[in-house]
Amino acid sequence: MAEVERLRPDVVLVDMARPDRDMLDSLPALNGAPPVVMFLDNDDPGFMQQAISAGVSSYHGQDVAPDAAKLVMQLAVAFFQRNQEVAAKLQEVEGQAAQRRTIDAAKRVLMKEERMGEPAAHRFLQRRAMDQQKRLADVAADYLAAQTCKGQKP
């Protein structure tokens, strides 16, 4: 793992005579970069599932011809990059959903405590965000935190 960090290769090749579960335990230390291509002498479906869960991008339990190895690595890198893009997009969408939940929670508190309608509560938060030059979700989170400090339940 230290060599992978030092060299920062485009792809890590793992060639094993037999499955080694201890090696799988060290894969999460790579933290998703670079892609890992694993070649084994035998096919073990259970180990394959564990390897993929541990972060292996491409698993081959049979002999791969030397001229096909380059294509295997290129495909592994392409799939890895696509998975990284999807993971980043998922993280972005989850963040947006969390922000939306925070805004909605702040609006609910305003509607209940200040007897505002939903549009008025939203405008209240928007004005505060503009006045403070903050994002709406940050203002909503600050408002909820302030309500919690006052002993009110958001």
Side-chain angles (χ1 to χ4, degrees):
M1 292 303 148
E3 285 299 300
V4 170
E5 285 183 32
R6 186 178 71 79
L7 295 173
R8 298 188 175 277
D10 293 333
V11 65
V12 172
L13 299 177
V14 178
D15 187 9
M16 302 172 75
R18 61 183 178 78
D20 181 0
R21 283 164 175 56
D22 290 338
M23 192 280 305
L24 289 183
D25 292 340
S26 62
L27 284 180
L30 291 175
N31 201 20
V36 177
V37 178
M38 182 175 284
F39 297 95
L40 290 129
D41 289 345
N42 58 18
D43 190 17
D44 179 349
F47 185 76
M48 177 183 68
Q49 288 297 326
Q50 290 176 340
I52 291 170
S53 293
V56 170
S57 301
S58 184
Y59 178 96
H60 305 276
Q62 300 170 351
D63 287 335
V64 174
D67 57 336
K70 182 177 179 180
L71 177 61
V72 165
M73 288 183 280
Q74 289 171 335
L75 286 169
V77 170
F79 281 121
F80 176 81
Q81 290 170 344
R82 178 68 178 131
N83 285 342
Q84 293 291 90
E85 291 168 7
V86 169
K89 184 65 176 171
L90 176 61
Q91 188 174 11
E92 177 186 337
V93 168
E94 286 174 342
Q96 290 171 350
Q99 290 174 5
R100 183 82 250 154
R101 286 190 297 273
T102 300
I103 293 167
D104 289 345
K107 287 193 297 188
R108 280 193 302 277
V109 171
L110 282 165
M111 291 164 63
K112 180 179 178 187
E113 300 298 323
E114 304 296 329
R115 310 237 190 278
M116 293 182 180
E118 193 274 336
H122 190 79
R123 281 192 306 275
F124 174 84
L125 293 172
Q126 280 181 319
R127 278 195 305 274
R128 263 193 153 163
M130 285 187 281
D131 290 346
Q132 297 175 12
Q133 296 183 347
K134 288 184 174 181
R135 295 174 341 141
L136 186 61
D138 295 337
V139 168
D142 292 347
Y143 179 77
L144 290 172
Q147 294 303 104
T148 302
C149 288
K150 287 182 182 179
Q152 296 178 359
K153 200 174 187 180

